[in-house]
Amino acid sequence: MLKNFKRATEKDIVRLKDSYSDSFCIFDTGEKDSLLYIKELFVNGIVYHISVDDEVIGWLAYEVHRNVSVLKGIYVKSAYHGTKLSRDLMKFYFEVCASEGVKYSLLNSSSESVWTTKFYKKYGYESFHAHDCDMIYHWTIKNDKFSTLIKSF
């Protein structure tokens, strides 16, 4: 499945938005201004997606700043939850990071989302700071864990 990921372009924004909106439908997280959010990801970011019959079923976005990658988001349509697509997205992301010489991967997540917290811990991220007022966790993973994690998938 990993070879099926394609680099997204701005032409894919509406299809990405549909997947993004659907990925939140089972979580009461409140949707951001999704079109604006997705457009902003293309300013400094890199977006990959996977599609079935021209429907985006999952995607991820990240930025690379020197040797640090910031995972901006990973989204899977609700119909594909439980299919290991999230795992495949993470494996693809780690392989890209390893091939680009990334030393660290960082991300932010809501501390209110138990599922998200478990997901990132499962894939090797460690919380290094939490803002009480913002309820945000900051997560990091070193590149020496990438190859070990990739083999474990």
Side-chain angles (χ1 to χ4, degrees):
M1 176 162 315
L2 297 179
K3 63 182 178 249
N4 296 327
F5 290 100
K6 295 188 175 151
R7 178 104 181 236
T9 67
E10 291 189 26
K11 293 177 184 179
D12 297 309
I13 287 176
V14 172
R15 294 184 322 130
L16 294 169
K17 181 211 168 282
D18 291 342
S19 178
Y20 173 84
S21 298
D22 179 78
S23 70
F24 281 112
C25 73
I26 65 169
F27 301 110
D28 186 21
T29 58
E31 187 177 346
K32 301 174 186 174
D33 181 1
S34 54
L35 278 177
L36 179 61
Y37 169 69
I38 294 167
K39 285 178 185 178
E40 288 175 354
L41 291 174
F42 283 94
V43 174
N44 295 314
I46 300 166
V47 180
Y48 281 93
H49 69 83
I50 187 164
S51 299
V52 171
D53 297 330
D54 207 38
E55 174 190 20
V56 173
I57 62 169
W59 59 282
L60 66 90
Y62 65 95
E63 295 177 3
V64 177
H65 303 277
R66 294 190 181 143
N67 61 358
V68 176
S69 177
V70 180
L71 184 60
K72 303 302 277 185
I74 179 170
Y75 307 99
V76 173
K77 286 194 87 158
S78 60
Y80 293 88
H81 289 183
T83 65
K84 307 287 186 205
L85 183 55
S86 296
R87 178 203 63 195
D88 292 345
L89 282 162
M90 289 303 294
K91 183 176 183 181
F92 176 79
Y93 172 66
F94 288 156
E95 288 178 350
V96 169
C97 286
S99 71
E100 292 181 4
V102 167
K103 302 274 186 219
Y104 295 94
S105 171
L106 305 173
L107 63 92
N108 296 328
S109 71
S110 169
S111 60
E112 292 181 329
S113 175
V114 175
W115 179 88
T116 303
T117 300
K118 286 181 182 178
F119 178 79
Y120 290 124
K121 281 183 179 179
K122 176 180 177 179
Y123 291 106
Y125 284 90
E126 298 173 8
S127 178
F128 69 90
H129 192 264
H131 292 282
D132 294 331
C133 59
D134 295 332
M135 303 210 307
I136 299 291
Y137 282 135
H138 300 288
W139 301 85
T140 187
I141 187 171
K142 290 183 179 180
N143 76 339
D144 58 353
K145 290 186 178 180
F146 292 154
S147 60
T148 303
L149 288 164
I150 289 168
K151 291 176 189 172
S152 72
F153 287 105

